[in-house]
Amino acid sequence: MNPIEPSCLLIADISGYTSYLAGVELDHAQDILADLMGTVVTSLRPTFRLAKLEGDAAFTIAPADRVDGSLVLDTIERCYFGFRRRRRDVRQATSCECNACIRIPDLNLKFVVHQGAVARQRMAGMEELVGADVIVVHRLLKNSVVESTGIEAYVLFSEAAVTGLGLGAEALGMRRHAERYDHIGEVTGWVHDLERRWLEEDSRERVLVEPAKAILSVAMPTSAPPQVAWEFLTEPGRRAGWSHGVTEVIVDAPGNRRGIGTTNHCMHGPDAIVEEVLDWRPFDYFTIRSLMGTPAGPIKFLTTFELEPTADGTTVHMRFGAAKASRDRAILTNALPTFEGIFAANAASLRAQLAEELEARMSAAPVEPPVPAPKAGGLFSELEPLLLVG
């Protein structure tokens, strides 16, 4: 008997593609689909791994014990933002006036997410995911979300996914939704509006400690991709594991989703450094304002963690900004030599734990099917390679 795997199942579907195909040039339409699908799959990795390409949809999976709701929302929103930017860039970069190119903005992206148990089975020489929950997540693609809410770019979470991921759906502004399917019955869930999140993200002011304004910069090279480095920087249990002197990280986040407005209590035994998240750009950077007690009194300062992709992983740049009050600046400056030793130890611990985590994931990861690419010399020959910029 094949082992049962508790899993988070996600399908990303390029919506509007069927109607888009009607009356457009198939040659360019196929290239456009291949490019956008490559954007989607690349954005979801490595949090989710591709199980199967299904026409204009990607069926993906993640072990249930490896993801929480905050990480899943970070991954999905980052994927949607990348899709929107890529769709815009493709349309602006081509001078082609065929219907396929003109109608690129007609395409959109939706997601369905469900949590449950799956098994792997070899069928016709290929590995397939099977089980009742695989059927449920595929049925969720056929829904009435657009008709009932008017939201065209969305995530539909089943109730099982919201519960398993630990999300406070109502606190996050999601809308309750229900569907009924033959042989399954009613499936309740929640709708997350991605268009609203895109507009919020696009208009939000950045809060970033720039390199030229940092009073201390620490570079922590790692062998992990940015998504995995982000997990270790932001998940409370992960962070406590590699941070020198940290005994626990207590997070107060609306809806149990880390981001702007989150408050962290970084515990050092009975003492705490209280952090407020001011900016949150998965998987590029985040900025916090810290309130730290010192023998000379409490001080406030900003810190940015920026993730720079490299040829062999990610370098995490940790930059401290100068405190606003002159008293705080003096105290912080005097503490910098002590900080440097702590951060050197943190960097070594983070690098070692990420290397161990990657080895474990690679040894357990199934082989993913290939993703089609636009043909050489075609529509995308003069376009920049697929880049996911935050």
Side-chain angles (χ1 to χ4, degrees), residues 29 53-54 77 81 111 147 168 210 276 283 323 329 336 350 357 367 389:
L53 280 177
E54 301 172 338
E77 288 183 359
F81 300 160
F111 301 81
E147 292 79 5
E210 301 287 352
E276 179 188 0
F283 302 104
R329 285 198 301 272
L336 291 183
L350 176 63
E357 177 73 12
V367 176
V389 181

Side-chain angles (χ1 to χ4, degrees), residues 170-186:
E170 195 166 5
L172 292 171
M174 297 185 191
R175 300 192 193 186
R176 185 177 288 279
H177 187 78
E179 297 285 346
R180 178 168 292 278
Y181 302 103
D182 292 343
H183 311 299
I184 293 176
E186 185 175 75

Side-chain angles (χ1 to χ4, degrees), residues 8-21:
C8 184
L9 305 172
L10 178 152
I11 300 178
D13 178 66
I14 296 181
S15 53
Y17 189 69
T18 301
S19 59
Y20 166 81
L21 280 179

